[in-house]
Short mmCIF file of all heavy atoms in Angstrom, two decimals:
data_model
loop_
_atom_site.label_atom_id
_atom_site.label_comp_id
_atom_site.label_asym_id
_atom_site.label_seq_id
_atom_site.Cartn_x
_atom_site.Cartn_y
_atom_site.Cartn_z
N ILE A 1410 57.56 185.14 131.44
CA ILE A 1410 57.15 184.14 132.38
C ILE A 1410 56.34 183.11 131.70
O ILE A 1410 55.50 183.41 130.89
CB ILE A 1410 56.32 184.75 133.56
CG1 ILE A 1410 57.19 185.76 134.31
CG2 ILE A 1410 55.76 183.70 134.44
CD1 ILE A 1410 56.44 186.50 135.40
N VAL A 1411 56.57 181.85 132.03
CA VAL A 1411 55.88 180.70 131.47
C VAL A 1411 55.21 179.97 132.61
O VAL A 1411 55.89 179.59 133.57
CB VAL A 1411 56.75 179.72 130.68
CG1 VAL A 1411 55.99 178.48 130.16
CG2 VAL A 1411 57.36 180.44 129.46
N LEU A 1412 53.93 179.77 132.55
CA LEU A 1412 53.21 178.98 133.54
C LEU A 1412 52.75 177.69 132.84
O LEU A 1412 52.06 177.75 131.85
CB LEU A 1412 51.98 179.70 134.15
CG LEU A 1412 52.28 180.97 134.86
CD1 LEU A 1412 50.91 181.50 135.40
CD2 LEU A 1412 53.15 180.67 136.10
N ARG A 1413 53.19 176.52 133.40
CA ARG A 1413 52.79 175.22 132.82
C ARG A 1413 52.44 174.27 133.94
O ARG A 1413 52.90 174.54 135.09
CB ARG A 1413 53.94 174.64 132.03
CG ARG A 1413 54.43 175.46 130.95
CD ARG A 1413 55.58 174.75 130.17
NE ARG A 1413 55.05 173.53 129.51
CZ ARG A 1413 55.62 172.36 129.59
NH1 ARG A 1413 56.65 172.17 130.39
NH2 ARG A 1413 55.11 171.31 129.02
N GLY A 1414 51.84 173.17 133.64
CA GLY A 1414 51.57 172.16 134.61
C GLY A 1414 50.80 172.63 135.84
O GLY A 1414 49.81 173.42 135.72
N ALA A 1415 51.34 172.34 137.00
CA ALA A 1415 50.64 172.71 138.22
C ALA A 1415 50.60 174.23 138.42
O ALA A 1415 49.69 174.79 138.96
CB ALA A 1415 51.33 172.07 139.42
N ASP A 1416 51.60 174.95 137.83
CA ASP A 1416 51.61 176.39 137.93
C ASP A 1416 50.43 177.12 137.17
O ASP A 1416 50.05 178.16 137.54
CB ASP A 1416 52.90 176.99 137.42
CG ASP A 1416 54.13 176.58 138.30
OD1 ASP A 1416 53.96 176.39 139.46
OD2 ASP A 1416 55.24 176.59 137.75
N LEU A 1417 49.97 176.39 136.15
CA LEU A 1417 48.84 176.91 135.44
C LEU A 1417 47.57 177.00 136.26
O LEU A 1417 46.67 177.80 135.94
CB LEU A 1417 48.60 176.03 134.15
CG LEU A 1417 47.68 176.62 133.12
CD1 LEU A 1417 48.15 177.97 132.61
CD2 LEU A 1417 47.53 175.62 131.93
N ALA A 1418 47.54 176.28 137.33
CA ALA A 1418 46.37 176.28 138.23
C ALA A 1418 46.22 177.73 138.85
O ALA A 1418 45.06 178.08 139.30
CB ALA A 1418 46.40 175.24 139.28
N ALA A 1419 47.27 178.44 138.85
CA ALA A 1419 47.22 179.86 139.42
C ALA A 1419 46.50 180.82 138.45
O ALA A 1419 46.26 181.94 138.86
CB ALA A 1419 48.59 180.33 139.75
N ALA A 1420 46.19 180.36 137.27
CA ALA A 1420 45.59 181.27 136.28
C ALA A 1420 44.08 180.99 136.18
O ALA A 1420 43.65 179.84 136.07
CB ALA A 1420 46.25 181.02 134.90
N ALA A 1421 43.36 182.05 136.20
CA ALA A 1421 41.90 182.00 136.01
C ALA A 1421 41.56 182.78 134.71
O ALA A 1421 41.97 183.92 134.60
CB ALA A 1421 41.16 182.59 137.22
N PHE A 1422 40.98 182.10 133.73
CA PHE A 1422 40.64 182.71 132.42
C PHE A 1422 39.18 183.27 132.56
O PHE A 1422 38.32 182.59 133.01
CB PHE A 1422 40.73 181.64 131.38
CG PHE A 1422 42.05 181.00 131.27
CD1 PHE A 1422 42.33 179.82 131.98
CD2 PHE A 1422 43.06 181.56 130.52
CE1 PHE A 1422 43.61 179.30 131.93
CE2 PHE A 1422 44.33 181.03 130.46
CZ PHE A 1422 44.62 179.86 131.14
N VAL A 1423 39.05 184.55 132.16
CA VAL A 1423 37.83 185.25 132.38
C VAL A 1423 37.33 185.88 131.05
O VAL A 1423 38.10 186.48 130.31
CB VAL A 1423 38.01 186.42 133.44
CG1 VAL A 1423 36.70 187.15 133.68
CG2 VAL A 1423 38.62 185.81 134.74
N ASP A 1424 35.99 185.70 130.78
CA ASP A 1424 35.45 186.21 129.55
C ASP A 1424 35.02 187.64 129.74
O ASP A 1424 35.08 188.26 130.87
CB ASP A 1424 34.34 185.31 129.04
CG ASP A 1424 33.09 185.36 129.85
OD1 ASP A 1424 32.92 186.18 130.73
OD2 ASP A 1424 32.22 184.43 129.65
N ARG A 1425 34.53 188.27 128.68
CA ARG A 1425 34.11 189.71 128.73
C ARG A 1425 32.98 189.96 129.71
O ARG A 1425 32.78 191.07 130.22
CB ARG A 1425 33.71 190.14 127.32
CG ARG A 1425 34.81 190.18 126.34
CD ARG A 1425 34.44 190.80 124.97
NE ARG A 1425 35.41 190.35 124.02
CZ ARG A 1425 35.20 189.43 123.10
NH1 ARG A 1425 34.04 188.78 122.94
NH2 ARG A 1425 36.15 189.13 122.25
N GLY A 1426 32.17 188.92 129.99
CA GLY A 1426 31.06 189.07 130.95
C GLY A 1426 31.45 188.85 132.42
O GLY A 1426 30.67 188.92 133.31
N GLY A 1427 32.74 188.60 132.63
CA GLY A 1427 33.27 188.36 134.00
C GLY A 1427 33.17 186.97 134.48
O GLY A 1427 33.39 186.65 135.65
N HIS A 1428 32.78 186.03 133.58
CA HIS A 1428 32.63 184.60 133.91
C HIS A 1428 33.90 183.88 133.61
O HIS A 1428 34.64 184.13 132.66
CB HIS A 1428 31.51 184.01 133.10
CG HIS A 1428 30.19 184.68 133.34
ND1 HIS A 1428 29.72 185.66 132.46
CD2 HIS A 1428 29.28 184.67 134.38
CE1 HIS A 1428 28.57 186.09 132.89
NE2 HIS A 1428 28.26 185.56 134.07
N ARG A 1429 34.14 182.90 134.46
CA ARG A 1429 35.36 182.06 134.30
C ARG A 1429 35.18 181.10 133.11
O ARG A 1429 34.11 180.58 132.86
CB ARG A 1429 35.69 181.28 135.55
CG ARG A 1429 35.94 182.24 136.71
CD ARG A 1429 37.26 181.89 137.32
NE ARG A 1429 37.62 182.93 138.30
CZ ARG A 1429 38.38 182.72 139.28
NH1 ARG A 1429 38.81 181.54 139.51
NH2 ARG A 1429 38.69 183.71 140.07
N ILE A 1430 36.31 180.85 132.46
CA ILE A 1430 36.38 179.86 131.35
C ILE A 1430 37.35 178.77 131.87
O ILE A 1430 38.46 179.03 132.24
CB ILE A 1430 36.97 180.49 130.08
CG1 ILE A 1430 36.10 181.65 129.55
CG2 ILE A 1430 37.04 179.39 128.99
CD1 ILE A 1430 36.73 182.40 128.37
N ASP A 1431 36.83 177.50 131.90
CA ASP A 1431 37.62 176.40 132.30
C ASP A 1431 38.90 176.32 131.36
O ASP A 1431 38.71 176.53 130.20
CB ASP A 1431 36.85 175.10 132.27
CG ASP A 1431 35.83 174.96 133.32
OD1 ASP A 1431 35.97 175.62 134.36
OD2 ASP A 1431 34.87 174.21 133.15
N ALA A 1432 39.97 175.99 131.92
CA ALA A 1432 41.21 175.86 131.13
C ALA A 1432 41.08 174.96 129.91
O ALA A 1432 41.58 175.21 128.84
CB ALA A 1432 42.37 175.39 131.99
N ASP A 1433 40.28 173.87 130.04
CA ASP A 1433 40.12 172.97 128.95
C ASP A 1433 39.12 173.47 127.88
O ASP A 1433 38.96 172.86 126.85
CB ASP A 1433 39.69 171.61 129.45
CG ASP A 1433 38.36 171.54 130.20
OD1 ASP A 1433 37.80 172.66 130.51
OD2 ASP A 1433 37.78 170.47 130.40
N ARG A 1434 38.60 174.69 128.13
CA ARG A 1434 37.63 175.26 127.14
C ARG A 1434 38.25 176.57 126.48
O ARG A 1434 37.67 177.14 125.63
CB ARG A 1434 36.33 175.60 127.76
CG ARG A 1434 35.60 174.49 128.44
CD ARG A 1434 34.76 173.63 127.49
NE ARG A 1434 33.75 174.56 126.85
CZ ARG A 1434 33.43 174.51 125.53
NH1 ARG A 1434 34.01 173.63 124.77
NH2 ARG A 1434 32.59 175.29 125.02
N VAL A 1435 39.42 177.01 126.96
CA VAL A 1435 40.00 178.20 126.51
C VAL A 1435 40.28 178.24 124.99
O VAL A 1435 39.97 179.23 124.32
CB VAL A 1435 41.32 178.56 127.28
CG1 VAL A 1435 42.11 179.67 126.67
CG2 VAL A 1435 41.02 178.88 128.75
N LEU A 1436 40.72 177.15 124.49
CA LEU A 1436 41.03 177.09 123.06
C LEU A 1436 39.74 177.21 122.22
O LEU A 1436 39.78 177.84 121.13
CB LEU A 1436 41.77 175.82 122.68
CG LEU A 1436 43.15 175.64 123.31
CD1 LEU A 1436 43.77 174.31 122.84
CD2 LEU A 1436 44.05 176.83 123.00
N ASP A 1437 38.64 176.72 122.73
CA ASP A 1437 37.37 176.80 121.97
C ASP A 1437 36.75 178.23 122.15
O ASP A 1437 35.97 178.62 121.29
CB ASP A 1437 36.39 175.78 122.46
CG ASP A 1437 36.84 174.37 122.15
OD1 ASP A 1437 37.49 174.18 121.10
OD2 ASP A 1437 36.49 173.50 122.91
#
């Protein structure tokens, strides 16, 4: 499955502490 564009909004990136990581900060 590939999520891109508007579909990527359905993804929440979460760190080890349970905090969300903004999509624009995931690479860092």
Side-chain angles (χ1 to χ4, degrees):
I1410 294 175
V1411 174
L1412 295 181
R1413 302 182 65 233
D1416 292 335
L1417 192 57
F1422 302 92
V1423 181
D1424 69 14
R1425 291 183 201 110
H1428 303 99
R1429 298 235 170 152
I1430 301 173
D1431 290 335
D1433 63 349
R1434 302 276 302 137
V1435 169
L1436 296 181
D1437 295 329

